[in-house]
Amino acid sequence: MLTDEISRRILRHMQAEPDLPMAELAQRAGLAAGTCARRLEKMREAGIYQGVQAIINWAALGYSVEVSLRVTLDKTQSRAFDEFIEEARKIPEVSEIHTFLGRVDVRLAVLARDMAHYQEIYKTRILTLPHIADIEALMQVAAIKMSEDLPL
Amino acid sequence: MLTDEISRRILRHMQAEPDLPMAELAQRAGLAAGTCARRLEKMREAGIYQGVQAIINWAALGYSVEVSLRVTLDKTQSRAFDEFIEEARKIPEVSEIHTFLGRVDVRLAVLARDMAHYQEIYKTRILTLPHIADIEALMQVAAIKMSEDLPL
DNA sequence: GATGAAAAATCTGTGAC
DNA sequence: GTCACAGATTTTTCATC
C-alpha cells in the first residue's frame, strides 16, 4: 500500500507541484482529499515522503558564486571520514555534502557572495578541515534541472 | 525591503522548518501572519523565494542506486552544449543537471533501482547523448547535508 | 508604502458510512 | 475509498502609522 501505484501517483504530483492544495492534489491522483492526506501521512511516517524544502534564489540574495568541491581524504586514519564530515557540517556556507565510493570521497557545495568571499571561506574554513589529501574545485554556472519528473 | 533583515529572517525560518503554519512562521520572524504572508508573496514575485520542493526518499521506493556523472563535451561544435542539455533533460532518471566552468562541463545525477538497471540506463540513455567527449562516474553513498541553515 | 488585528474565505484531517 | 463537517489556517480588508 505504501509504495503502490496510487501512492506513487501522489508523490509524482507532489513532486511536480509541491504547494498544491490537498484537494487539488487528491483530484489529480484520483482520490478524495481525506484519503490523499491519510496516505501522505503514512508515507511521511514510513520515511518515504520527508516533507518539503524551501527553494531560495541565492543569486538574488547576493550569493552569486557557487562552487563544487571534490575532496579526497587521507585514508591512513580510520576516523578521517567521520571527523571530516562532522566539521564540514558546521560550515554554514557549505550547502550540500554528498559522499561517494571511489577515488573521490566527498563532494561539497559552497555558497559565497563573490570571488573574494569565496576565497576567504576556502582559506579559513575549507582548507582547515581535517584529513584532506586533495581538493578539486569547479565553479558552477547554472542549476538546469532539479527533480521535476523523476521516475515514480 | 525585499532583501532586508526582516525578509531574510522569514527565509531563514522558512528554510529551517518549511512546513510551519504561516502564523507560527510570522511569530518567529516577529510579524503578524498577514504581514509575513505578504512579504513572502512579494519575494515569490521577485523570484527570491521559489516555492517548495518535495523531499522523497528514493531508496525507500526501490531506487537504491544514485550515480554522479561528470561529463566533458566535444567543444568543436558550437551547439554541443545546448543540444546535450536539451536531450539530458528528457531522461526521467536524470534527477539533477548542473553546468560548470572548467574541464568538466556538466554534472548529471542519475537514479536507478539497482546496478543492472543503472547499467541499462547508462548504455541506452546516457551514452547515446550527443557530443560527449568523456564521462567520469562516482557512485553516491549518502546525502549528508542538504540546505539546513545556510547563510542568510 | 508597510503594518497589525480581526473578519471572511479557504483548507485540512477526523470520523461516519 | 468517499463524503461531510468541525476546527484550523490562510488571505483579505481596514484603520493606522
Side-chain angles (χ1 to χ4, degrees):
Chain A
M1 140 81 160
L2 250 51
T3 63
D4 66 5
E5 170 53 24
I6 298 172
S7 288
R8 279 160 190 268
R9 206 152 57 210
I10 295 172
L11 289 178
R12 200 180 306 133
H13 289 290
M14 194 73 199
Q15 191 176 234
E17 295 164 275
D19 40 16
L20 223 50
M22 186 59 77
E24 280 285 325
L25 179 67
Q27 191 180 2
R28 291 180 199 207
L31 295 166
T35 312
C36 188
R38 182 153 249 293
R39 271 186 182 259
L40 201 57
E41 185 51 34
K42 291 255 185 202
M43 287 195 277
R44 190 199 285 270
E45 282 165 16
I48 294 170
Y49 169 61
Q50 306 186 323
V52 294
Q53 182 177 34
I55 306 173
I56 292 165
N57 181 349
W58 293 97
L61 286 167
Y63 281 78
S64 57
V65 169
E66 189 162 351
V67 176
S68 182
L69 294 177
R70 285 186 150 192
V71 182
T72 302
L73 297 177
D74 170 14
K75 265 88 71 180
T76 59
Q77 298 183 40
S78 62
R79 291 268 306 142
F81 210 88
D82 293 345
E83 285 172 14
F84 177 86
I85 300 286
E86 190 186 329
E87 291 302 314
R89 293 184 76 115
K90 295 178 186 168
I91 306 174
E93 287 84 4
V94 170
S95 62
E96 290 178 32
I97 305 175
H98 292 262
T99 62
F100 295 94
L101 271 182
R103 186 180 61 74
V104 173
D105 297 293
V106 186
R107 183 170 65 76
L108 306 178
V110 180
L111 280 170
R113 286 189 292 275
D114 51 43
M115 276 303 182
H117 184 215
Y118 171 70
Q119 190 67 4
E120 188 200 318
I121 296 166
Y122 187 69
K123 285 194 292 189
T124 65
R125 310 294 314 257
I126 303 296
L127 289 182
T128 54
L129 288 170
H131 312 298
I132 295 175
D134 189 33
I135 294 191
E136 184 193 0
L138 288 180
M139 182 164 165
Q140 183 169 304
V141 174
I144 306 287
K145 175 181 179 176
M146 293 201 62
S147 322
E148 292 150 8
D149 37 71
L150 302 185
L152 272 170
Chain B
M1 140 83 164
L2 250 54
T3 63
D4 67 5
E5 171 52 26
I6 299 172
S7 287
R8 278 161 192 268
R9 205 151 59 210
I10 295 172
L11 289 178
R12 199 180 307 134
H13 290 290
M14 194 73 200
Q15 191 177 235
E17 296 165 275
D19 40 17
L20 222 52
M22 186 58 77
E24 281 284 325
L25 179 66
Q27 192 181 358
R28 290 180 199 207
L31 294 166
T35 312
C36 186
R38 262 174 312 206
R39 271 183 180 262
L40 200 58
E41 185 52 34
K42 292 254 182 193
M43 288 193 278
R44 190 198 286 270
E45 282 165 15
I48 295 170
Y49 169 62
Q50 306 187 323
V52 293
Q53 182 176 34
I55 307 173
I56 293 166
N57 181 349
W58 292 98
L61 286 166
Y63 282 78
S64 56
V65 169
E66 188 162 351
V67 176
S68 182
L69 294 176
R70 285 187 151 190
V71 182
T72 302
L73 297 177
D74 171 14
K75 265 86 71 179
T76 58
Q77 297 182 42
S78 62
R79 291 267 305 143
F81 210 89
D82 293 345
E83 285 172 15
F84 177 85
I85 300 287
E86 190 185 330
E87 291 303 314
R89 293 184 75 114
K90 295 178 186 166
I91 307 173
E93 288 83 5
V94 170
S95 62
E96 290 178 32
I97 305 175
H98 291 263
T99 62
F100 294 94
L101 272 182
R103 188 180 60 75
V104 173
D105 297 294
V106 187
R107 183 170 64 78
L108 306 178
V110 179
L111 281 170
R113 286 189 293 275
D114 50 43
M115 277 302 184
H117 184 215
Y118 172 72
Q119 189 68 5
E120 188 199 318
I121 295 166
Y122 187 70
K123 285 194 292 190
T124 65
R125 308 296 313 260
I126 303 294
L127 289 180
T128 55
L129 287 169
H131 312 297
I132 294 174
D134 189 33
I135 295 191
E136 183 194 359
L138 288 180
M139 183 165 163
Q140 182 170 304
V141 175
I144 305 285
K145 175 181 178 175
M146 293 200 64
S147 321
E148 292 150 9
D149 37 71
L150 301 185
L152 270 171

